[in-house]
Amino acid sequence: MSNEFNNLRTFGKFRLDTEKKLLWFENEQVNVALKEIELLCVLTETDEMVTKDELMNRVWKDSFVEESNISKHIYRLRKTLAEYGESENIIETVPKRGYRFIGKIENTSNSHDLIIEKHSITKTIVEEVDDESSRTYLLPSPKRNRYLLPVLACLVFLTMAFGIYSYFNKTQKIEGIKTIAIGQIQSLSNNENELTLALGIKEKLLMNLGNLQDLTVQNVQIGESEIDKLTTADAVLFGSVQRVETKVRVNLRLLKVADKKQIWATSFDKNEAEIFQLQDELSQNITDSLSINLSKNERERIYKRYTENEEAYQHYLRGRFFHDKRNSQNYLKAIAEFKQAIELDRNFALAYSGLADVYPMQDDQTIDGRSEMYQEALKIAEKALKIDPDLAEAHTSIAWIKRNHKWNWDDSEKHFKRAIELNPNYYNARQWYAHFLSGVGRLEEALIQNDKARQIEPLSKVVLVNRQAQLIFLRRYDEALKLTEQFIQMDDDIRANARLHSIALLNAKQDEKVIEVVEKYIQEKGDLKIGDQTLSNLATAYFRTGKFNKANELFEMLEQTAKQNSEVAFRLAQAYSDIGKKDEAIAHLQRCYNDHDDRMVWLKVEPRFDNIRKDARFQELLRKMNLQ
């Protein structure tokens, strides 16, 4: 095998770009860690064995690592190739010495790569021409031909450049795409810093493209093998992020959903300090390719930067990363990151909005400190809005607090509407506005907003869970149960699915089935760690089926917990109302009102309170909450 190759090497259905460090399988980019790409580049240079020392010197020349790193990366590289049908034996181990690539390598023209990557065209063409013109040809020629070769080379260059430019622009401008899904932006190394960077790139794409009035942008957590799950998108964007020291590489592919054919693919290499420029280029590339004519306001929003401080932005991304993990420990980490971002840039509105979102999501089940957390969150969100009056996220944060804690329905709706006006593709605004509309009894409107939220995140289980609640509030119990039985198949979160299934079954008056579902979960888990709401549902089902001893045992247990937990008090009120214990139900609701429990926003529409709805004490609670 010769050592002299172009920068593109083909083996089987793979194409390796040794210059840009990219690996393709047919038209699909393969996600491979940079070190594994570099190993493959070295191994495919020759059909001879490459020693471990040579691999260490060339792939890890600037760092000190153990020899075992080579075998780990070779193992992962073999596994990756095998996933696409290549034999793992294509990389042969020479015991105690090194490795040999035994696949058949073919020379490949660079023309395909030129068409794919717009920003690399000029550079790559020049390199090709330079390579050709620098060679010495041992052919006799007349003296007059001495000047002919440079002229011909120039003509070839111009012809190629014009042809590639014309072809590229013809294939890049894609008409008729009205809905685009943003799929996984993967971290190739899966370390925390790279994960936060991938999250930030996706968030910025969603934010920027979401501001476009003529484009619906969907957020989906799927890879390329799951495109068939998309039924409402015209195109889907996938990507990967790789961070090596101070360098960042982002690879993107835009595919048609209907036939899975690639529309375009591109890669960007930037210094980490150029992250803002990178985000601008990504958005510009997408809007250009979709032939979207941006209005002045849309262009301003796409290129708007919420901070010029790169370090502050990194802390903000880490805050979002921890916030999205949705647990108490990571909420504390998120708060610390958001605060650090604000410390570095006092005018970073997005960081204030992130902090406002995470404060109420700390343990809001306890009484102590809840009011103070909400008050602090409101103050922070208002600060964000003062910095940027057109920040949809800040309007949404304020609307949520006004609904959940202030029970100020007019102000809440005003901010929700403004958020949706500013960014019609902002998922939280749509979803939380649907909650608002449900709570005040405007249930058909809530279904419309739920539909819009589902357009934005079509594969989200959360949207379907919210729709379950809306159908129950509408007393459409059979529909709610049918929907529930569909979405509990979407994941293996057994605890959550037991709770959601028991809710639908209980409202449909299928008490024996409630007992069957919950007891099965308890048997599988071997304990009662199933959540207080599920236990209260089980207590109701026991009571209504005549299993009074079991029911009373659960009621006594929940009463003890309710002394320190207003959520449990609310769940007990539901159960007591179900079984006709009106005084107990009203007493717990009055306690929830005094503690300003978040769940009181459902008082008007919750069907499990129908047994006590006409009670004067219940009506007085509705009046005090301005829900009559």
Side-chain angles (χ1 to χ4, degrees):
M1 187 185 297
S2 170
N3 286 345
E4 297 179 4
F5 290 100
N6 292 334
N7 63 298
L8 287 181
R9 301 171 188 168
T10 298
F11 57 95
K13 295 183 179 180
F14 288 95
R15 190 172 75 259
L16 173 65
D17 187 329
T18 61
E19 178 188 9
K20 299 180 179 64
K21 301 296 188 293
L22 295 173
L23 180 64
W24 299 80
F25 179 80
E26 295 182 334
N27 289 323
E28 177 182 351
Q29 185 180 327
V30 182
N31 287 325
V32 188
L34 180 59
K35 291 300 180 186
E36 286 147 34
I37 286 276
E38 291 176 348
L39 281 170
L40 190 59
C41 290
V42 175
L43 291 170
T44 54
E45 285 181 358
T46 176
D47 56 4
E48 302 296 327
M49 179 201 71
V50 183
T51 67
K52 292 181 180 179
D53 286 343
E54 184 178 353
L55 290 172
M56 291 284 285
N57 291 333
R58 293 184 61 180
V59 179
W60 284 277
K61 60 183 177 181
D62 297 323
S63 58
F64 177 79
V65 295
E66 296 180 359
E67 188 179 290
S68 60
N69 271 305
I70 298 179
S71 60
K72 291 177 183 177
H73 284 286
I74 291 289
Y75 172 80
R76 287 202 290 261
L77 181 56
R78 286 169 171 160
K79 287 296 183 184
T80 299
L81 297 176
E83 287 175 5
Y84 290 84
E86 188 61 74
S87 169
E88 292 188 21
N89 296 326
I90 197 170
I91 300 176
E92 182 181 67
T93 299
V94 180
K96 298 182 180 181
R97 296 179 63 194
Y99 300 91
R100 179 187 294 113
F101 187 87
I102 61 174
K104 182 180 179 182
I105 299 291
E106 298 178 359
N107 295 334
T108 305
S109 167
N110 286 2
S111 60
H112 181 74
D113 196 52
L114 294 174
I115 294 170
I116 291 176
E117 303 207 38
K118 181 177 181 180
H119 68 282
S120 301
I121 290 175
T122 304
K123 175 183 177 183
T124 310
I125 293 175
V126 170
E127 287 176 350
E128 284 187 335
V129 173
D130 286 347
D131 287 344
E132 290 292 322
S133 60
S134 64
R135 293 178 187 155
T136 302
Y137 291 88
L138 302 178
L139 295 173
S141 59
K143 186 175 181 180
R144 65 177 178 271
N145 289 346
R146 179 185 303 173
Y147 305 105
L148 184 59
L149 186 60
V151 173
L152 289 173
C154 185
L155 288 172
V156 170
F157 171 83
L158 292 173
T159 302
M160 287 177 62
F162 179 78
I164 292 169
Y165 176 83
S166 300
Y167 181 85
F168 177 82
N169 279 280
K170 181 176 70 175
T171 56
Q172 289 288 301
K173 298 295 184 182
I174 307 298
E175 303 283 353
I177 292 180
K178 300 298 183 184
T179 301
I180 181 171
I182 311 292
Q184 289 179 351
I185 308 293
Q186 294 183 322
S187 158
L188 294 187
S189 69
N190 213 35
N191 67 58
E192 193 172 278
N193 287 334
E194 204 171 88
L195 286 167
T196 59
L197 182 60
L199 173 68
I201 288 172
K202 181 168 184 175
E203 181 181 86
K204 195 67 165 65
L205 285 173
L206 290 168
M207 184 183 296
N208 286 359
L209 300 178
N211 280 308
L212 305 181
Q213 297 294 325
D214 296 332
L215 185 69
T216 297
V217 182
Q218 298 179 343
N219 179 19
V220 294
Q221 301 299 327
I222 64 168
E224 292 190 29
S225 62
E226 302 172 286
I227 291 180
D228 289 338
K229 292 182 178 180
L230 299 176
T231 58
T232 57
D234 302 310
V236 56
L237 184 75
F238 295 107
S240 64
V241 175
Q242 200 158 24
R243 187 177 189 169
V244 180
E245 296 177 349
T246 61
K247 297 288 186 180
V248 174
R249 162 165 290 183
V250 179
N251 302 310
L252 294 178
R253 298 185 69 219
L254 187 66
L255 307 176
K256 278 189 175 180
V257 171
D259 56 15
K260 303 178 186 177
K261 289 185 178 179
Q262 180 173 291
I263 298 173
W264 57 256
T266 189
S267 67
F268 295 83
D269 293 295
K270 294 288 182 184
N271 289 321
E272 191 174 13
E274 298 176 301
I275 183 67
F276 301 128
Q277 181 182 346
L278 170 62
Q279 291 174 334
D280 290 344
E281 289 184 16
L282 293 176
S283 297
Q284 182 67 57
N285 198 296
I286 294 170
T287 54
D288 282 352
S289 69
L290 299 180
S291 302
I292 296 174
N293 295 317
L294 302 177
S295 67
K296 181 181 177 182
N297 287 338
E298 288 174 334
R299 186 169 295 278
E300 287 175 353
R301 289 176 183 172
I302 278 188
Y303 293 111
K304 182 175 184 176
R305 295 182 182 174
Y306 295 92
T307 181
E308 295 294 338
N309 188 314
E310 191 272 336
E311 187 179 353
Y313 186 66
Q314 293 296 334
H315 282 290
Y316 167 76
L317 292 183
R318 288 173 62 81
R320 282 295 179 194
F321 174 74
F322 289 126
H323 172 272
D324 290 348
K325 288 183 176 292
R326 295 291 195 272
N327 61 62
S328 298
Q329 183 179 0
N330 282 297
Y331 288 148
L332 294 175
K333 291 181 181 179
I335 288 171
E337 295 290 347
F338 286 136
K339 284 184 174 180
Q340 186 62 43
I342 292 168
E343 186 69 26
L344 292 165
D345 183 353
R346 294 290 182 179
N347 291 310
F348 193 178
L350 268 181
Y352 284 101
S353 179
L355 189 57
D357 284 345
V358 76
Y359 263 131
M361 297 188 75
Q362 296 179 90
D363 194 0
D364 69 345
Q365 298 175 351
T366 58
I367 302 168
D368 296 338
R370 178 190 293 131
S371 182
E372 289 78 3
M373 282 191 295
Y374 270 110
Q375 286 298 124
E376 183 66 16
L378 181 59
K379 183 170 69 174
I380 294 168
E382 288 173 341
K383 172 69 173 176
L385 203 60
K386 185 176 180 180
I387 296 170
D388 186 352
D390 293 333
L391 186 63
E393 287 81 356
H395 281 286
T396 303
S397 299
I398 291 173
W400 186 246
I401 296 167
K402 295 276 189 177
R403 168 194 179 262
N404 272 28
H405 191 65
K406 294 294 185 181
W407 301 338
N408 186 332
W409 317 114
D410 291 340
D411 276 3
S412 178
E413 183 165 28
K414 179 182 71 175
H415 284 285
F416 274 130
K417 285 184 172 180
R418 180 58 178 153
I420 291 170
E421 179 185 2
L422 289 167
N423 187 346
N425 286 308
Y426 184 37
Y427 169 75
N428 278 348
R430 293 288 189 184
Q431 179 190 204
W432 292 352
Y433 186 38
H435 282 326
F436 167 89
L437 292 167
S438 293
V440 297
R442 292 155 58 185
L443 294 166
E444 294 297 339
E445 292 179 66
L447 287 175
I448 293 172
Q449 290 301 321
N450 181 270
D451 287 339
K452 293 184 181 298
R454 193 174 184 187
Q455 288 174 11
I456 300 167
E457 294 208 5
L459 304 180
S460 169
K461 181 178 177 180
V462 173
V463 177
L464 298 179
V465 171
N466 293 339
R467 192 172 193 85
Q468 177 208 53
Q470 290 153 6
L471 291 172
I472 288 173
F473 296 155
L474 283 163
R475 279 63 174 172
R476 288 156 58 175
Y477 303 126
D478 290 342
E479 285 182 60
L481 181 55
K482 184 177 180 180
L483 176 67
T484 305
E485 289 171 345
Q486 292 173 353
F487 69 64
I488 61 175
Q489 305 300 321
M490 293 177 66
D491 58 38
D492 57 358
D493 189 345
I494 304 174
R495 174 173 173 161
N497 288 339
R499 175 178 62 84
L500 295 165
H501 204 181
S502 70
I503 291 170
L505 290 167
L506 196 70
N507 279 282
K509 299 296 191 293
Q510 295 188 26
D511 297 321
E512 292 287 357
K513 187 66 174 177
V514 172
I515 295 170
E516 177 186 335
V517 166
V518 179
E519 286 188 343
K520 179 182 178 183
Y521 174 82
I522 294 173
Q523 289 169 3
E524 290 177 354
K525 300 300 293 182
D527 54 37
L528 291 178
K529 293 180 180 178
I530 58 174
D532 298 311
Q533 185 177 12
T534 310
L535 286 178
S536 71
N537 295 342
L538 182 60
T540 295
Y542 279 152
F543 192 94
R544 292 199 306 211
T545 55
K547 301 176 177 65
F548 301 118
N549 290 336
K550 287 187 175 183
N552 291 332
E553 182 180 343
L554 288 181
F555 280 126
E556 289 175 9
M557 183 196 315
L558 291 167
E559 284 284 4
Q560 292 300 314
T561 309
K563 292 176 182 179
Q564 301 298 324
N565 189 316
S566 60
E567 180 188 3
V568 181
F570 187 84
R571 303 306 177 197
L572 273 172
Q574 290 177 303
Y576 283 139
S577 175
D578 285 332
I579 63 176
K581 294 190 175 184
K582 295 184 179 181
D583 291 342
E584 291 87 343
I586 295 291
H588 279 294
L589 286 178
Q590 288 174 334
R591 180 266 179 97
C592 288
Y593 173 83
N594 293 335
D595 292 341
H596 230 80
D597 187 87
D598 296 1
R599 281 146 286 270
M600 289 294 285
V601 297
W602 305 118
L603 199 64
K604 179 172 181 156
V605 292
E606 172 55 63
R608 294 176 67 184
F609 294 136
D610 286 352
N611 286 342
I612 59 173
R613 193 165 300 281
K614 295 181 180 179
D615 190 293
R617 296 167 294 178
F618 186 88
Q619 290 296 312
E620 177 62 14
L621 285 172
L622 289 176
R623 186 192 64 75
K624 289 194 290 187
M625 293 185 64
N626 296 314
L627 283 172
Q628 279 186 320

